[in-house]
Amino acid sequence: MVSNFFVSSNIMFGKDSVKELPAMLKQYGAENVMIVYDNGVKMAGIADQVLETLKEVDVNVVIFDKVLPNPTNELVEEAAKLALNEKIELFIAVGGGSSIDLTKAVNILMTNPGPIGQYGGIGNVKNDVLPLIAIPTTAGTSSEITNVVALTDTVAVCKYVIIDNKLTPNNVIIDPEFTKTMPASVTAATGMDAVTHAVESYISNMATPLTEYNSLKGLEILYNNLPKVVADGTDMEARERMMLGCIVTGFGFSNANLGLVHGIAHTLSAHFHLAHGMANASVLPYVMEFNAESCPEKMVELAKAIGLSVSGEIDKDKYLLSNELKKLIKTLGIKTLSKQGIKEKDFEMLAEDVIKEPVLNFNPRQNITKQQVLEILKKAL
């Protein structure tokens, strides 16, 4: 069987790796550079650290610091207008998935006509984009090394993705020190986002031996270190391992795609502005329980990857992972849907939108019905 595995980014990994930024910029010879981040990155002092390194290079720096969670089409268009006016030649995205995804989307509009919404789907970006350097501050989305952009359409009230190999950042600087200021709740939610990526990509019907290896290894690393960093945010060895797990997992899911968990999470974020990682974590165990019927052998392999003891009875062992994930989200303090403000009266509307999600095409269990989604949501309430 022929399969494709795409990896593009040049990754600089480790403590103080941000010091390599000036040398990277000199390679491109850009004069006008835009740096993109949110208020949290600014308040944590991370933006200032990055800006300080830019003083070593003779470039004109333009700042866009209005990034919000679940970035919208309107925010992309606003940032793109500024970038076009300033004749930006290179982007630096600093932050979590929202900052990096917004920057990727803006980059599309530098060399392709708007509006941004027309590029939803796979392979719809016609022209090559400008150089992009990504500096992640969370261990969760893997956006820094993937070809995926997730945006919110406030008119259609949905979250959609743009997938194109042109969008993968050229260079990535991964400094675990930049994750040290994340509060425990954000560490838990973003970490569970990465766990979701590992699990969903492994059981995806697009998975290949290469993606499966990355998904299993990524899950092992994340599972063994996430409780440590949530309990002690100063554990820098565990922080570094989380960043490593995120990268390894990203290589897998960007090639294998995701499934029903993300279909539900996209809908929750679009309608109720739930943080993406928290939305994923809330429903992950129950979707895995649902999917176990379609891929029992893979569920057992996932259980083995995190050290769970299997009995050899597949009808029992296929639920080991989902049961362990239920324990894990409780340990990490992941909120139930009801504690995030979701009410049972909202389920009908949510379920109707979930079954329209394109990402369901990659889920191992197909022909998902509205009633089945309702049952999952009730368990997660």
Side-chain angles (χ1 to χ4, degrees), residues 304-323:
K304 289 179 179 177
I306 58 175
L308 301 182
S309 297
V310 299
S311 68
E313 296 181 42
I314 197 163
D315 284 341
K316 292 181 180 179
D317 292 343
K318 67 185 179 184
Y319 296 117
L320 286 171
L321 178 74
S322 56
N323 289 335

Side-chain angles (χ1 to χ4, degrees), residues 40-115:
V41 168
K42 182 178 181 179
M43 295 296 291
I46 296 171
D48 286 341
Q49 290 182 57
V50 176
L51 288 167
E52 187 65 27
T53 66
L54 294 179
K55 292 180 180 178
E56 300 177 28
V57 192
D58 184 20
V59 293
N60 173 46
V61 178
V62 177
I63 296 172
F64 186 84
D65 59 2
K66 299 179 183 179
V67 179
L68 297 172
N70 302 309
T72 63
N73 289 349
E74 290 85 355
L75 196 60
V76 171
E77 301 283 350
E78 178 185 346
K81 182 178 180 181
L82 174 63
L84 288 164
N85 287 341
E86 296 289 341
K87 297 180 172 56
I88 297 302
E89 300 162 280
L90 180 146
F91 290 92
I92 302 171
V94 185
S98 294
S99 293
I100 299 173
D101 278 7
L102 181 134
T103 309
K104 289 179 181 177
V106 170
N107 205 1
I108 294 171
L109 298 183
M110 299 300 291
T111 55
N112 296 272

Side-chain angles (χ1 to χ4, degrees), residues 25-240:
L25 285 175
K26 287 175 182 176
Q27 292 176 4
Y28 290 105
E31 295 181 1
N32 299 314
V33 174
M34 175 178 275
I35 181 169
V36 178
Y37 52 84
D38 63 20
N39 191 55
V41 168
K42 182 178 181 179
M43 295 296 291
I46 296 171
D48 286 341
Q49 290 182 57
V50 176
L51 288 167
E52 187 65 27
T53 66
L54 294 179
K55 292 180 180 178
E56 300 177 28
V57 192
D58 184 20
V59 293
N60 173 46
V61 178
V62 177
I63 296 172
F64 186 84
D65 59 2
K66 299 179 183 179
V67 179
L68 297 172
N70 302 309
T72 63
N73 289 349
E74 290 85 355
L75 196 60
V76 171
E77 301 283 350
E78 178 185 346
K81 182 178 180 181
L82 174 63
L84 288 164
N85 287 341
E86 296 289 341
K87 297 180 172 56
I88 297 302
E89 300 162 280
L90 180 146
F91 290 92
I92 302 171
V94 185
S98 294
S99 293
I100 299 173
D101 278 7
L102 181 134
T103 309
K104 289 179 181 177
V106 170
N107 205 1
I108 294 171
L109 298 183
M110 299 300 291
T111 55
N112 296 272
I116 190 63
Q118 68 184 299
Y119 298 105
I122 301 175
N124 294 326
V125 179
K126 182 179 179 181
N127 300 318
D128 288 339
V129 297
L130 302 179
L132 167 59
I133 298 171
I135 306 176
T137 61
T138 65
T141 68
S142 302
S143 185
E144 64 273 10
I145 51 94
T146 70
N147 57 358
V148 183
V149 173
L151 298 174
T152 300
D153 185 329
T154 56
V155 177
V157 193
C158 69
K159 197 164 183 178
Y160 70 99
V161 294
I162 303 170
I163 302 175
D164 198 295
N165 288 348
K166 299 180 185 71
L167 306 183
T168 308
N170 304 81
N171 294 83
V172 183
I173 295 174
I174 297 180
D175 191 332
E177 291 290 323
F178 284 173
T179 68
K180 190 165 59 176
T181 58
M182 273 197 302
S185 60
V186 178
T187 299
T190 55
M192 283 304 298
D193 188 21
V195 168
T196 302
H197 293 154
V199 172
E200 283 212 289
S201 59
Y202 184 69
I203 63 173
S204 165
N205 56 29
M206 293 286 288
T208 69
L210 277 169
T211 68
E212 289 170 348
Y213 173 81
N214 281 271
S215 300
L216 282 177
K217 188 61 181 178
L219 177 63
E220 176 195 342
I221 296 169
L222 296 165
Y223 175 81
N224 288 327
N225 289 279
L226 181 53
K228 294 178 184 178
V229 292
V230 172
D232 178 10
T234 64
D235 185 341
M236 292 314 299
E237 181 180 353
R239 288 277 191 199
E240 183 167 313

Side-chain angles (χ1 to χ4, degrees), residues 267-282:
T267 306
L268 287 167
S269 295
H271 285 281
F272 297 101
H273 310 292
L274 265 61
H276 179 65
M278 192 67 79
N280 273 330
S282 301

